[in-house]
């Protein structure tokens, strides 16, 4: 009542909370000050990182959005490095980095203070180091040279899980990728004594992975709960602390496993609708400040020039993967060699990573939304560049032309849809373009 002069004359994304910011930004502030956290449906690391921005810049939109935006920026060079590792070609690394930078969902999710930026960054980092491992020949490389990549992969997996449980999905995919590569290397060895030596080396690696992928992530997860429970003075020993942490996990699981929870939401979108951008997620609109000529809105959705072409790219990768492993024999029999030593491990890397982030949502009983596809989008870009790389091996000029057209199309759609991805106040004529393309409005 006595602070009327502090109320902004024109509320906007520069001075207000949007969507889940109202929960996560508040909880980041509460963790920072050791008070009872309001939002408890996700692990605390994402809010703790968000709290660093609040600590540096104050409890302002810039403060609570700073670290998430920084994570979004860091994703771009990480995507570049992964594609460089996949293709060994700078041109496709640049194309992939450009596509993630021009993806509308990447912009939206990382510029508002939701926790999704952090687990996605940690997930792709964990897959980068796992990729380095699976491109290493266990037979010819010493354990000392192999361990750093596994250690970094496990570290970032732990950070991802401590930020959001989608990191667990990624962890399952990393485990499949790890054992897949180990079995391939063992099968590649013909000599009996050498095969035994490789098997023993792989067993020693597995023992090290107990530290990297189990103990270290568990320690990270538990440490994140120290500021979470800072308000609770009754916790005086480790058993009590562990009991409270376990109770929190049970509470989170019960919340997310409620059948039908959120399915009555206007923007509920099942997993099979996400790739075709059937229902963009509404975050905010500027109705309270709109004029006849200017308006604003925020929706979460993908860039059509990135998401739609990724579908045939993924389909091609599935076809190529199957063609390498299934052979028709006489009498109409089919030979299946899932761990065929001569196959392209990069395609397995892509498909296992994509399935690990996407497939679990098929089983989630509660309501889902298109932004749950965010962690899958880097793997869509990997599919695109792997397809371009295959074309480049046979028709370099055609691959170059497709790459340029693809990048320009992504840029064009990004510009057209930028107001909806960013929430800026623009002429309604600009908003009408996006409204005509997707199920969005202002």
């Amino acid at each position: 009542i006595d602070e009327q002069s502090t109320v902004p004359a024109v509320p906007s994304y520069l001075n207000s909370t949007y969507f889940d910011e109202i929960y996560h930004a508040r909880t980041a502030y509460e963790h920072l000050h050791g008070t009872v956290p309001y939002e408890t449906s996700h692990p605390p690391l994402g809010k703790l990182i968000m709290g660093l921005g609040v600590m540096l810049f104050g409890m302002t939109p810039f403060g609570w959005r700073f670290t998430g935006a920084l994570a979004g920026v860091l994703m771009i060079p990480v995507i570049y490095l992964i594609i460089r590792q996949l293709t060994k070609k700078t041109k496709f690394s640049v194309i992939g980095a450009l596509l993630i930078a021009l993806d509308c969902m990447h912009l939206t999710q990382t510029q508002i203070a939701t926790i999704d930026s952090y687990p996605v960054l940690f997930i792709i980092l964990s897959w980068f180091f796992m990729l380095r491992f699976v491109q290493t020949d266990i037979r010819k490389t010493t354990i000392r040279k192999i361990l750093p990549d596994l250690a970094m992969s496990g570290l970032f997996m732990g950070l991802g899980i401590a930020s959001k449980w989608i990191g667990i999905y990624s962890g399952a995919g990393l485990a499949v990728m790890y054992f897949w590569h180990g079995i391939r290397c063992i099968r590649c060895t013909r000599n009996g004594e050498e095969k035994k030596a490789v098997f023993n080396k792989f067993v020693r690696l597995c023992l090290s992975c107990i530290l990297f992928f189990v103990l270290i992530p568990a320690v990270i997860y538990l440490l994140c709960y120290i500021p979470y429970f800072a308000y609770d003075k009754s916790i005086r020993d480790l058993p009590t602390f562990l009991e409270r942490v376990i109770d929190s996990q049970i509470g989170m699981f019960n919340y997310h496993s409620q059948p039908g929870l959120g399915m009555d939401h206007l923007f509920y979108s099942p997993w099979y609708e996400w790739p075709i951008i059937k229902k963009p997620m509404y975050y905010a609109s500027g109705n309270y400040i709109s004029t006849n000529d200017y308006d604003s809105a925020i929706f979460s959705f993908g860039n059509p020039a990135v998401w739609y072409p990724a579908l045939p790219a993924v389909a091609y990768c599935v076809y190529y993967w199957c063609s390498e492993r299934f052979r028709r024999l006489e009498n109409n029999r089919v030979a299946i060699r899932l761990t065929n030593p001569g196959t392209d491990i990069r395609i397995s890397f892509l498909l296992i990573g994509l399935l690990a982030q996407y497939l679990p949502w098929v089983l989630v009983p509660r309501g889902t939304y298109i932004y749950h596809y965010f962690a899958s989008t880097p793997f869509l870009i990997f599919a695109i560049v792997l397809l371009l790389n295959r074309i480049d091996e046979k028709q370099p000029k055609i691959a170059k032309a497709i790459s340029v057209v693809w990048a320009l199309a992504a840029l064009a759609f990004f510009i057209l849809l930028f107001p909806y991805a960013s929430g800026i106040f623009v002429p309604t004529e600009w908003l009408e373009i996006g409204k005509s393309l997707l199920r969005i409005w202002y």
Side-chain angles (χ1 to χ4, degrees):
I1 295 174
D2 61 348
E3 297 177 346
Q4 292 298 316
S5 61
T6 66
V7 177
V10 182
S12 77
Y13 65 92
L14 295 176
N15 53 41
S16 305
T17 56
Y18 283 117
F19 192 57
D20 282 350
E21 282 188 332
I22 197 171
Y23 309 118
H24 297 147
R26 168 181 170 173
T27 304
Y29 180 88
E30 290 163 343
H31 285 329
L32 193 62
H33 291 82
T35 59
V36 181
Y38 179 76
E39 189 275 315
T40 59
S41 60
H42 296 289
L45 182 57
K47 279 89 69 175
L48 294 175
I49 299 174
M50 193 180 299
L52 295 177
V54 174
M55 180 177 64
L56 291 172
F57 304 108
M59 189 59 183
T60 64
F62 184 86
W64 65 65
R65 292 172 186 157
F66 176 79
T67 53
L70 179 60
V73 171
L74 292 176
M75 288 181 202
I76 298 172
V78 174
I79 294 293
Y80 176 94
L81 290 174
I82 293 176
I83 296 173
R84 190 75 175 82
Q85 192 73 25
L86 282 170
T87 66
K88 312 301 181 185
K89 297 176 182 178
T90 301
K91 57 185 177 182
F92 293 131
S93 304
V94 172
I95 290 294
L98 185 62
L99 291 179
I100 190 68
L102 296 177
D103 184 43
C104 301
M105 180 174 285
H106 173 263
L107 173 65
T108 303
Q109 293 299 133
T110 60
Q111 77 165 7
I112 66 173
T114 62
I115 58 174
D116 300 273
S117 304
Y118 314 110
V120 173
L121 174 61
F122 296 141
I123 285 169
I124 60 176
L125 278 167
S126 67
W127 280 91
F128 169 64
F129 287 103
M130 182 57 69
L131 175 61
R132 286 171 57 88
F133 166 71
V134 300
Q135 289 183 332
T136 300
D137 191 337
I138 296 176
R139 302 169 300 168
K140 303 176 182 178
T141 310
T142 63
I143 289 180
R144 180 176 294 183
K145 290 184 178 180
I146 295 174
L147 289 181
D149 287 326
L150 290 175
M152 294 302 292
S153 182
L155 171 66
F156 286 113
M157 186 198 79
L159 293 172
I161 294 173
S163 301
K164 198 172 184 179
W165 276 359
I166 59 173
I168 299 175
Y169 306 160
S170 176
L174 292 171
V176 172
M177 196 75 253
Y178 169 80
F179 285 105
W180 191 296
H181 180 55
I183 294 171
R184 288 176 80 249
C185 288
I186 294 171
R187 289 193 59 191
C188 283
T189 309
R190 302 297 182 184
N191 182 276
E193 288 298 322
E194 291 181 1
K195 179 170 290 197
K196 183 178 180 180
V198 174
F199 177 80
N200 290 336
K201 182 186 286 189
F202 185 63
V203 170
R204 293 199 298 274
L205 286 175
C206 291
L207 294 176
S208 300
C209 286
I210 294 176
L211 171 64
F212 301 147
F213 291 92
V214 178
L215 297 181
I216 290 178
V219 170
I220 292 172
Y221 201 87
L222 291 174
L223 289 176
C224 291
Y225 274 89
I226 293 177
Y228 180 99
F229 287 118
Y231 71 92
D232 193 343
K233 306 305 179 183
S234 66
I235 300 178
R236 300 180 181 276
D237 51 47
L238 182 59
T240 304
F241 174 74
L242 294 176
E243 181 182 351
R244 299 294 171 80
V245 172
I246 292 172
D247 289 341
S248 295
Q249 310 316 299
I250 294 173
M252 282 192 290
F253 179 80
N254 290 338
Y255 172 77
H256 290 292
S257 61
Q258 294 181 53
L261 176 67
M263 287 186 177
D264 58 345
H265 194 286
L266 182 61
F267 293 93
Y268 161 71
S269 179
W271 59 273
Y272 51 83
E273 292 182 349
W274 306 341
I276 59 174
I277 323 177
K278 184 175 181 180
K279 188 176 292 186
M281 181 67 191
Y282 167 77
Y283 284 171
S285 61
N287 292 337
Y288 49 86
I289 56 172
S290 62
T291 68
N292 291 331
D293 300 319
Y294 288 83
D295 214 325
S296 67
I298 303 177
F299 280 78
S300 183
F301 55 92
N303 186 324
V306 177
W307 286 27
Y308 291 158
L311 298 180
V314 171
Y316 171 78
C317 290
V318 171
Y319 166 77
Y320 185 77
W321 187 92
C322 293
S323 66
E324 285 192 312
R325 287 166 176 80
F326 295 84
R327 291 286 185 272
R328 184 171 294 279
L329 305 177
E330 296 178 359
N331 301 324
N332 292 324
R333 291 183 301 167
V334 177
I336 303 175
R337 301 182 66 185
L338 295 180
T339 55
N340 189 344
T343 55
D344 190 345
I345 193 67
R346 299 176 301 176
I347 304 297
S348 298
F349 169 85
L350 160 70
L351 296 179
I352 292 172
L354 178 59
L355 289 175
Q357 292 306 137
Y358 186 52
L359 196 58
W361 292 106
V362 178
L363 306 176
V364 172
R366 55 155 291 181
T368 55
Y369 311 95
I370 193 172
Y371 65 82
H372 289 134
Y373 198 47
F374 184 35
S376 301
T377 53
F379 296 94
L380 301 182
I381 293 173
F382 300 156
I384 291 172
V385 294
L386 285 177
L387 174 58
L388 290 174
N389 186 59
R390 290 289 297 175
I391 298 173
D392 185 66
E393 292 172 353
K394 298 180 180 179
Q395 298 289 341
K397 292 184 179 180
I398 294 178
K400 182 179 180 180
I402 294 175
S403 299
V404 172
V405 171
W406 215 324
L408 291 176
L411 177 61
F413 274 99
F414 181 77
I415 293 172
L416 290 175
L417 299 170
F418 180 74
Y420 285 102
S422 64
I424 62 172
F425 207 50
V426 296
T428 53
E429 289 85 354
W430 195 350
L431 293 168
E432 283 292 337
I433 298 173
K435 185 178 179 180
S436 64
L437 293 173
L438 299 172
R439 294 182 60 187
I440 47 183
W441 66 84
Y442 58 92

